Amino acid sequence: MRDASPLVTAVRDGWRLDNDRLIAVLRPLTDAQLQLRPSPDHWAIWQLVSNIAGGRVFWLHDILGEGDDELRDMFRVTAPTAPVPIEDAGWEDDEAHPRSAIELTDALARTWQLVEDCLGRWSADDLAVVFRRPGGSVPIFTRAWVVWHLVEHDLQHGAEIALILRANGLPTFQL
């Protein structure tokens, strides 16, 4: 692993701790508990976790070209129930196939390994490289922006999961 800056090390270590805490709280959940949601028009816990893991692989693999196709392909679905294009559909978009705690924790562990690999290789210069994504909601960005975006995405959905668990009297975690 490259010598990372103290800031990158702090971000990586804190993010890893949150990922580990999320995995620990998800591991004992039943399929019924993973179906909990704050209201009928919001995602269930399993969908929030799916979106965390799928978001990591989308940005790092599809957009930045990192990781292998096998990891990316594990999130593809053949018949989304959500109104999204098939090429953009992920696990969370197929309500007919909810994911188990084993699948979700494996997805978080495997996508975390991709994050860790990238953060371990990228230098400060690598983080500053500018990417262009024509037609995207963020057309110009850097690797550093992607890292920040993924951290905030994980924290947002992690907070939603923590609230759902707490509201249902289940053990949760602190972000």
Side-chain angles (χ1 to χ4, degrees):
M1 180 179 276
R2 241 176 219 226
D3 287 337
S5 75
L7 179 59
V8 170
T9 299
V11 168
R12 184 194 62 227
D13 292 351
W15 193 2
R16 179 189 308 121
L17 181 61
D18 280 348
N19 188 69
D20 292 347
R21 287 175 177 162
L22 181 56
I23 288 172
V25 81
L26 292 170
R27 195 170 279 127
L29 295 181
T30 66
D31 291 345
Q33 290 167 331
L34 290 168
Q35 288 283 354
L36 294 171
R37 58 182 78 216
S39 68
D41 61 329
H42 287 88
W43 276 346
I45 292 172
W46 75 266
Q47 290 172 296
L48 293 164
V49 178
S50 297
N51 190 257
I52 290 171
R56 292 173 183 175
V57 80
F58 169 78
W59 278 99
L60 295 173
H61 180 275
D62 292 6
I63 304 302
L64 299 184
E66 298 287 346
D68 60 40
D69 293 341
E70 179 186 340
L71 181 61
R72 177 62 180 106
D73 290 344
M74 81 181 258
F75 294 96
R76 297 200 190 281
V77 297
T78 56
T81 55
V84 295
I86 188 71
E87 63 274 6
D88 294 336
W91 284 359
E92 66 275 19
D93 300 310
D94 184 2
E95 291 214 23
H97 189 188
R99 302 302 168 154
S100 69
I102 291 171
E103 289 173 293
L104 295 168
T105 56
D106 179 60
L108 288 172
R110 291 179 66 185
T111 58
W112 177 254
Q113 191 55 55
L114 176 59
V115 168
E116 189 112 60
D117 176 60
C118 292
L119 293 178
R121 282 186 295 102
W122 291 341
S123 67
D125 289 341
D126 292 331
L127 288 168
V129 171
V130 173
F131 288 81
R132 297 188 191 295
R133 183 176 167 221
S137 59
V138 181
I140 300 171
F141 54 88
T142 62
R143 282 188 182 104
W145 180 90
V146 169
V147 170
W148 169 247
H149 179 63
L150 290 174
V151 169
E152 70 179 351
H153 185 253
D154 278 26
L155 290 173
Q156 173 192 341
H157 289 322
E160 291 173 297
I161 293 163
L163 287 170
I164 295 168
L165 293 169
R166 187 171 296 119
N168 286 279
L170 295 167
T172 190
F173 58 101
Q174 188 164 359
L175 297 172

